[in-house]
Amino acid sequence: MSRHVPQVVADLHPGYGALLMATGIVSTGFHLFGWHVLSDIFLVLAFIAFALLLAGYVWRSVALPGRVLADALDPGRGFGYFTLVAGPNVVGMRLALDGHVLATAVIAAATVPVWITVTLFVPGSMVMGHRDEAVLSRTNGSWFMWVVGTQSLAGATAVVAAGIPDLTAALAPLAVAFWGIGVVLYLMLVGLVTVRLLDAPVSPHTLSPTYWVYMGATAISVLAAAAILALPARLPVLAVTGYVISGLAYLLWAFGTWWIPLLLAFGVWRHLRGETVGYHPTFWSMVFPLGMYAAASADFGRAAGLGFMTDIARVEVWIGFAAWVAVAAAMGRSFALPRRQGAPT
């Protein structure tokens, strides 16, 4: 059966869901500023990406289960499967802006089992499975996809809670719980991944585009916080956590902003050290944080009355758009040319 699988499906990267995440969040950013035609175009592109990725991942799982399992057991690639949670939920939250809250609820409910499975299997196998080498030697920015997937559920749950009044009281505590888990995961992972960067020699290849998720994880945490804070303040769970969520969200936004110039420096250093610039699926992990930073800044800035954040977002949304176009063009060119061997992970 595997002989009939196209190479593009056989090599489908675990983190390709970042394409869906990037497309969905650019659509969201345009919608928040009233550029509805562009927003709708990107929403259609997100639907196309979702259909293609769903078909590709299902095909690969059925035809090549061994490769899927190998990716899940690889500490450098396995966390990419959390994009299969985050991508649909980012699109789901965008659909809620058009009033399709029921679609958001269905998508969120469908991704919960995926989140549970990947959470138990990928980190669980690293702790309890057989290891020939230390896991920490394979850490990279893709580990933050665990945070991104979790916070996408927090945001989607909050959006559904706000859009369906009969479910508000039941779903609000769940949204806050997901958000708290995501924040604690971020604090844990930021230490592990940073120690890895400082503990061993770093090559240009090591600093892959996945490190942009350092910032993207803070941005989606801020977006989810804005969705939670839009819920009625009288809810008991918000009465005890509202100020904490608001304060931590701003601190996470500030920390994510601090990361941007450092991440740009990483990219310049890679280029100066001779790292070949060519398309790889992990580039979408760089586009998503740029788009998410814009959407999060706009949404939280408006919710918290911080106008300067909205002003920053108005510019950042175009940066995210430009990055999307550049990576999409590179992707198209890579598919049109013979595939290279030895692509980075």
Side-chain angles (χ1 to χ4, degrees), residues 123-147:
S125 65
M126 293 179 188
V127 175
M128 297 178 288
H130 174 74
R131 292 180 289 181
D132 294 322
E133 61 178 352
V135 170
L136 290 181
S137 64
R138 298 296 310 281
T139 59
N140 57 44
S142 71
W143 285 39
F144 289 104
M145 286 299 180
W146 193 2
V147 178

Side-chain angles (χ1 to χ4, degrees), residues 52-297:
L52 292 174
L53 288 171
L54 180 62
Y57 279 116
V58 170
W59 190 352
R60 189 172 189 255
S61 298
V62 173
L64 301 168
R67 293 193 63 170
V68 174
L69 180 62
D71 283 339
L73 293 173
D74 184 345
R77 293 167 65 91
F79 284 94
Y81 282 120
F82 280 105
T83 64
L84 304 183
V85 178
N89 280 314
V90 168
V91 175
M93 285 187 280
R94 165 62 184 85
L95 289 173
L97 295 177
D98 287 337
H100 304 300
V101 180
L102 182 59
T104 307
V106 171
I107 291 171
T111 58
V112 168
V114 181
W115 179 79
I116 293 172
T117 300
V118 180
T119 294
L120 292 176
F121 189 83
V122 175
S125 65
M126 293 179 188
V127 175
M128 297 178 288
H130 174 74
R131 292 180 289 181
D132 294 322
E133 61 178 352
V135 170
L136 290 181
S137 64
R138 298 296 310 281
T139 59
N140 57 44
S142 71
W143 285 39
F144 289 104
M145 286 299 180
W146 193 2
V147 178
V148 173
T150 305
Q151 295 293 29
S152 75
L153 280 171
T157 303
V159 166
V160 174
I164 305 178
D166 290 343
L167 297 179
T168 301
L171 292 182
L174 184 60
V176 173
F178 275 128
W179 192 84
I181 292 169
V183 169
V184 173
L185 283 175
Y186 185 81
L187 296 175
M188 177 181 72
L189 293 177
V190 77
L192 291 176
V193 179
T194 303
V195 166
R196 164 69 181 97
L197 289 175
L198 298 175
D199 185 57
V202 175
S203 67
H205 174 76
T206 302
L207 291 176
S208 68
T210 61
Y211 279 95
W212 277 86
V213 192
Y214 248 124
M215 183 268 283
T218 65
I220 195 171
S221 298
V222 174
L223 185 70
I228 291 171
L229 294 172
L231 296 171
R234 65 178 183 277
L235 291 170
V237 70
L238 283 181
V240 297
T241 65
Y243 288 112
V244 173
I245 292 173
S246 181
L248 280 177
Y250 182 74
L251 294 180
L252 287 167
W253 180 87
F255 188 59
T257 304
W258 176 83
W259 265 108
I260 294 175
L262 190 57
L263 292 166
L264 289 171
F266 287 172
V268 172
W269 181 75
R270 291 182 74 212
H271 179 69
L272 294 177
R273 290 288 298 272
E275 181 74 3
T276 302
V277 178
Y279 174 74
H280 190 263
T282 56
F283 280 13
W284 291 109
S285 298
M286 180 177 65
V287 179
F288 164 72
L290 293 170
M292 179 56 73
Y293 182 81
S297 298

